[in-house]
Amino acid sequence: MAITREHDLHKRRSGRNVGLAVVLVLFIALVFGLTIAKVSGGSALQAFDHSYRPSLDPDHVRFQQR
């Protein structure tokens, strides 16, 4: 029996590996696309960093306009 002979099991595993690789690439592309969409907002992107910022407080802006 030759060592290089490929069994049916190897062909099935190869197909599953290709399928898994495609799914992983699509997942990475989805996460990357969502990240780009979130970051492309520019200055509107502000996070909560445990400090008071009047620009994030809707009541503060309302009182200033009066």
Side-chain angles (χ1 to χ4, degrees), residues 18-36:
V18 170
L20 182 62
V22 168
V23 169
L24 287 174
V25 167
L26 289 175
F27 178 71
I28 290 170
L30 176 69
V31 170
F32 181 73
L34 289 173
T35 302
I36 295 299

Side-chain angles (χ1 to χ4, degrees), residues 52-64:
Y52 177 72
R53 280 190 263 164
S55 63
L56 293 178
D57 188 6
D59 292 331
H60 183 78
V61 173
R62 200 176 316 138
F63 289 129
Q64 284 183 343

Side-chain angles (χ1 to χ4, degrees), residues 40-60:
S40 66
S43 63
L45 182 67
Q46 294 183 3
F48 181 70
D49 58 357
H50 302 284
S51 64
Y52 177 72
R53 280 190 263 164
S55 63
L56 293 178
D57 188 6
D59 292 331
H60 183 78

Side-chain angles (χ1 to χ4, degrees), residues 8-21:
D8 187 42
L9 180 66
H10 295 114
K11 292 177 187 175
R12 286 186 290 182
R13 281 185 185 167
S14 175
R16 288 185 201 142
N17 288 341
V18 170
L20 182 62

